[in-house]
Amino acid sequence: MGLANWRVRSYNCQIKPIIAIIISILLLRAVLSPSTSFAWFQQRISSYGATPITEPNLRATVRNDKFLEVPQIVWGLNNQKIALARGLLTARFLNRTLLMPSLSASLFYKEVELLQPMQFDKFFDLEKFNSICDGFVQVGQYSKLLNKTDPFEVQKGSGRKWTKERDLEQLKEVTSDNKLHDLELVRIVGKNPFLWHDHWPVRDYAEIFGCLALINEIENDVVKVISKIREISIKAKKNTANTVPNPIVPYIAVHMRIEKDWMIHCKKWEQRTGMNQICSSKKEILDRVSHITGINLPAVVYLAIADSLLEDDSVLKGWKTGLMPYEKKRLGVWEIYKKYPYLIQSAIDFEVCSRADIFVGNTFSTFSGLVVLSRTQRLLKLGFKDLCGNEDQLDIRLTSYAYNILGDKIGAPKLWMSDMADLSLQKISYGTNNVSCDANMSIS
């Protein structure tokens, strides 16, 4: 009997450390595992807090067996990209995968039947997106749905009464409803519910935009357009005393907002807000671009302009000697553009501007704002946190300027980087004349 008791005590002494180790592992996993409710809670708190979780080893993986469905996304390319990101971040907040959304190939019309829906994977590469954004957000296919029962619908409001605070409160209510945790599908219903409300920091948006790779067909056409620009640049260099040190010849991209409807809109905006750095005339844009220092002339200037200006030869006149302006028709790539609907044409222009060596845009344009955000994100990955003081060192690629704001140098536009520390996309979505050459200007 005494021997039996000793064996029991001996067994207990051996097993207790093992149990303790197992418990410790389970507790550690509860803290770090992406599939636990703690990680989900930590994930959602970070989504509307000051510090997003962006490092891969700290991310909380969203569930791939629970889904969120959103209505068709509408309006212009960049409003659609913002709405798409908000849909994805909402799905992340709810610990769900976003079912493949439908974009709009055409501009927004009141007549829904004219929206020309375009599935996400007909525009962006689904596999690349999920690979790059793995652990942060995910897009799922409808074929993954197993349960054919009716989804739970969440009605989102619109208009001035549906405030940012009400929207966030609704999201919190949804996450607190235990009944919804086991439902396979939650469906958002309402009129354009992701065009207005913003609960996430700029870094979260930038990370999602960085996952949006165009499908191969569109990407190949982007490369063709950029190759044409560089080809013209190389020929121009060969015709001068300048030698070409390598086949990668820099080019400038300018997003010119000078169409009549924009000028009417921005003039009213200036009067209403009391600001005077929103509109820029063609003459002002040309003058400020000409004052950018360090450009090795001759240089091609690609003009991203509205189609209504393609027949207006005046946009090609008056440039500083050595600056060679081209738009898509003069460049000889109109055949590439015209085979596509509006959305893809805009996407090609966006990439041409985003990949330019120098970009010049307007801080009150969502297009320009997202181009600079993309470029800022890449600069950060290259180790550049700011461009302040580097204005004469244009060997640093991805330099951006705001032509509607006078810079520190006489006559030159202001150096521009996105404020990656901002807790809202408000400035990029709606514009600001308070920009910096520092990517971390806000105090978080």
Side-chain angles (χ1 to χ4, degrees):
M1 189 68 177
L3 181 60
N5 288 337
W6 179 84
R7 285 176 176 170
V8 170
R9 287 196 300 272
S10 176
Y11 176 79
N12 289 339
C13 289
Q14 294 173 12
I15 200 67
K16 284 180 179 178
I18 296 174
I19 293 174
I21 292 172
I22 292 173
I23 291 174
S24 297
I25 292 173
L26 290 174
L27 287 173
L28 182 61
R29 187 175 180 181
V31 174
L32 298 179
S33 173
S35 61
T36 62
S37 59
F38 175 81
W40 175 33
F41 174 76
Q42 181 189 47
Q43 173 192 15
R44 289 189 290 111
I45 290 299
S46 71
S47 293
Y48 59 84
T51 308
I53 296 177
T54 54
E55 293 299 326
N57 62 329
L58 294 179
R59 286 175 173 173
T61 303
V62 294
R63 294 185 64 169
N64 59 12
D65 60 340
K66 304 296 179 186
F67 302 95
L68 179 74
E69 184 181 41
V70 300
Q72 181 178 350
I73 296 172
V74 300
W75 287 20
L77 167 69
N78 295 290
N79 282 317
Q80 289 191 53
K81 287 169 71 173
I82 291 171
L84 170 64
R86 286 175 180 161
L88 284 158
L89 290 167
T90 299
R92 177 174 179 254
F93 187 96
L94 302 176
N95 193 28
R96 291 174 176 267
T97 291
L98 182 69
L99 277 178
M100 190 187 302
S102 177
L103 305 172
S104 299
S106 59
L107 280 171
F108 173 73
Y109 292 96
K110 292 183 179 180
E111 298 83 0
V112 177
E113 65 273 11
L114 298 178
L115 282 175
Q116 298 179 27
M118 175 182 284
Q119 288 300 317
F120 178 93
D121 62 349
K122 302 299 181 184
F123 190 52
F124 297 116
D125 189 310
L126 177 63
E127 185 177 341
K128 286 182 181 178
F129 179 88
N130 283 336
S131 175
I132 300 170
C133 260
D134 182 36
F136 188 58
V137 294
Q138 292 285 278
V139 172
Q141 295 177 300
Y142 277 82
S143 59
K144 300 294 184 182
L145 282 174
L146 300 176
N147 194 340
K148 302 303 180 182
T149 58
D150 292 336
F152 181 85
E153 293 190 343
V154 177
Q155 175 72 47
K156 281 191 174 289
S158 61
R160 294 182 181 179
K161 291 184 178 180
W162 189 257
T163 63
K164 175 180 176 179
E165 291 72 24
R166 288 187 65 181
D167 191 80
L168 183 58
E169 187 61 34
Q170 184 191 57
L171 289 178
K172 291 178 181 178
E173 289 176 2
V174 172
T175 58
S176 65
D177 189 341
N178 292 326
K179 296 178 182 178
L180 299 184
H181 293 172
D182 297 325
L183 289 179
E184 185 182 28
L185 180 60
V186 172
R187 175 183 293 158
I188 301 292
V189 294
K191 184 180 179 181
N192 310 328
F194 294 106
L195 289 178
W196 309 112
H197 302 295
D198 176 28
H199 308 300
W200 295 278
V202 168
R203 289 182 188 274
D204 281 4
Y205 283 99
E207 184 153 6
I208 290 175
F209 295 146
C211 302
L212 294 173
L214 297 170
I215 61 172
N216 288 337
E217 179 187 356
I218 304 173
E219 171 62 25
N220 290 339
D221 281 336
V222 170
V223 172
K224 288 178 185 177
V225 174
I226 294 176
S227 296
K228 186 69 174 178
I229 294 172
R230 295 198 187 280
E231 178 186 326
I232 294 173
S233 297
I234 291 173
K235 288 181 180 178
K237 297 286 186 184
K238 286 182 178 178
N239 292 331
T240 66
N242 295 327
T243 58
V244 182
N246 58 65
I248 305 301
V249 180
Y251 72 93
I252 305 166
V254 179
H255 180 218
M256 295 186 72
R257 294 305 311 266
I258 56 172
E259 51 275 43
K260 288 182 179 179
D261 59 342
W262 163 258
M263 295 304 289
I264 292 172
H265 170 70
C266 71
K267 288 294 184 185
K268 290 181 178 178
W269 202 347
E270 285 185 340
Q271 293 171 2
R272 186 172 64 252
T273 61
M275 291 188 290
N276 59 2
Q277 291 183 310
I278 299 177
C279 305
S280 292
S281 65
K282 176 203 159 190
K283 181 179 182 304
E284 185 176 67
I285 295 172
L286 269 60
D287 182 62
R288 291 188 177 174
V289 171
S290 71
H291 281 86
I292 296 175
T293 58
I295 299 175
N296 185 19
L297 301 176
V300 169
V301 180
Y302 178 75
L303 305 179
I305 57 176
D307 287 354
S308 60
L309 296 175
L310 291 178
E311 305 301 330
D312 183 1
D313 291 340
S314 67
V315 298
L316 303 175
K317 298 175 181 177
W319 291 85
K320 174 183 174 181
T321 302
L323 293 178
M324 304 181 299
Y326 283 82
E327 34 75 22
K328 54 182 73 73
K329 281 198 170 181
R330 188 186 180 203
L331 192 63
V333 294
W334 179 237
E335 292 299 317
I336 292 176
Y337 279 84
K338 75 176 186 180
K339 69 182 180 180
Y340 290 120
Y342 155 80
L343 189 71
I344 298 178
Q345 290 185 15
S346 297
I348 295 174
D349 257 4
F350 183 93
E351 292 301 323
V352 173
C353 290
S354 180
R355 302 179 197 185
D357 301 277
I358 299 172
F359 172 71
V360 193
N362 187 304
T363 62
F364 284 84
S365 161
T366 308
F367 180 100
S368 292
L370 290 189
V371 167
V372 175
L373 178 60
S374 169
R375 295 163 68 84
T376 300
Q377 181 82 330
R378 278 182 281 164
L379 279 170
L380 290 175
K381 290 180 179 179
L382 291 172
F384 295 99
K385 293 184 178 180
D386 67 74
L387 295 176
C388 306
N390 292 328
E391 195 164 353
D392 295 323
Q393 300 176 18
L394 294 183
D395 57 317
I396 299 174
R397 304 302 185 200
L398 303 174
T399 309
S400 301
Y401 294 87
Y403 60 66
N404 60 305
I405 304 174
L406 195 61
D408 297 330
K409 292 197 172 184
I410 297 176
K414 188 171 181 63
L415 273 167
W416 181 12
M417 291 186 80
S418 297
D419 180 5
M420 300 298 286
D422 205 329
L423 301 183
S424 166
L425 203 68
Q426 175 81 14
K427 293 177 183 176
I428 293 175
S429 298
Y430 296 100
T432 179
N433 55 16
N434 179 26
V435 297
S436 171
C437 51
D438 184 353
N440 297 284
M441 58 183 284
S442 288
I443 300 175
S444 58

